[in-house]
Amino acid sequence: IAMELVAGGTLTERIQRQGPMDIKEAVDTCLQIIAGLEIAAAAGVLHRDVKPSNCFANTDGVVKVGDFGLSISTMARLEPQLTISGSFLGTPAFSSPEQLRGDDLDVRSDIYSVGVTLYYLLTGRTPFEGDNLVKLLATVLEKAPESPAKLRRDIPRGLARAVLRCLAKQPAQRFKDYAELRAAL
C-alpha cells in the first residue's frame, strides 16, 4: 500500500496535542471523513478500520482517510472476515459489534466507526474503554454508550443523538448510508 504523505499528521496526534476539537471543527472533520468513505463505498470498498489514527489532516485543514490495509471489496465476498477462527481485524475500540463478532459487514459498520471517531474528536476519549481486551470487547458488544453530551455539556442534543445513532448495537438502527448521516450532521 502506498499513501500520500500528509504533513499535518493524524487526528489522534491532533487530539493528543490540543485536546478535543471545537464542535464545528469536529463536525466539519467528520464530514470530510464521510466524503472520503463515500467515494470508497461507491467504488465497492469497505474500510473496516476507520479511526482517528487512520485519518490525516493537512496543514490547511483538509482531512483524508488513509490506511486501507484492512479494507474489503463489497462487490465480491470471497475474502474471509476473520484472519483465523476467533480473531478479528480492526481496532476493538473503533470496531462495530458485528465486526467484532465476525458477522457480515456493510457500510453501516464503517458508519459505527465514524461515530466512534466523532465521539473521540468531541471528547478526547472513546465511548467504550476497558483495562483489558476482554473487558473492552464486552463493553462494545453489550453496554450502551454514554452520551458525549454528558462528558461535554456544550454538545448540542441533536449532535449527541446523531453520534449515539451511529453507535447503535444493531446495524438497522444506524444511519443507512453516508448521505443520511451527512444530512443529520
Side-chain angles (χ1 to χ4, degrees):
I1 294 174
M3 294 183 352
E4 175 183 354
L5 176 62
V6 182
T10 69
L11 294 179
T12 299
E13 293 165 341
R14 176 3 193 121
I15 297 300
Q16 289 172 345
R17 272 192 324 269
Q18 299 175 14
M21 289 182 173
D22 168 79
I23 292 170
K24 185 180 181 322
E25 180 185 9
V27 170
D28 180 60
T29 297
C30 192
L31 290 171
Q32 291 182 65
I33 293 167
I34 290 168
L37 292 171
E38 203 166 27
I39 292 167
V45 175
L46 190 65
H47 192 285
R48 293 199 310 173
D49 200 21
V50 178
K51 59 186 177 182
S53 62
N54 284 341
C55 298
F56 303 85
N58 257 334
T59 53
D60 61 359
V62 174
V63 178
K64 298 184 178 196
V65 179
D67 196 350
F68 280 77
L70 297 181
S71 66
I72 58 171
S73 170
T74 57
M75 304 299 183
R77 287 302 183 117
L78 301 176
E79 308 97 15
Q81 300 285 330
L82 302 173
T83 52
I84 56 173
S85 180
S87 71
F88 55 87
L89 295 172
T91 306
F94 290 90
S95 296
S96 68
E98 63 271 21
Q99 185 171 350
L100 295 177
R101 287 190 303 266
D103 295 344
D104 287 336
L105 305 177
D106 61 28
V107 70
R108 295 170 299 180
S109 180
D110 278 355
I111 286 174
Y112 179 95
S113 301
V114 169
V116 178
T117 297
L118 181 54
Y119 194 106
Y120 179 82
L121 298 178
L122 290 166
T123 67
R125 56 168 282 211
T126 59
F128 302 107
E129 297 177 341
D131 54 7
N132 65 55
L133 181 60
V134 172
K135 287 181 182 177
L136 175 61
L137 293 175
T139 59
V140 171
L141 292 170
E142 299 169 9
K143 188 177 174 190
E146 182 175 52
S147 172
K150 285 189 175 182
L151 300 172
R152 184 172 168 185
R153 301 269 183 229
D154 62 334
I155 295 174
R157 285 187 201 170
L159 178 57
R161 277 193 305 271
V163 171
L164 291 175
R165 185 169 172 196
C166 288
L167 300 177
K169 298 296 182 198
Q170 298 302 317
Q173 296 173 342
R174 295 182 205 136
F175 296 100
K176 67 179 176 186
D177 56 29
Y178 293 117
E180 190 176 42
L181 174 55
R182 184 177 43 256
L185 293 176

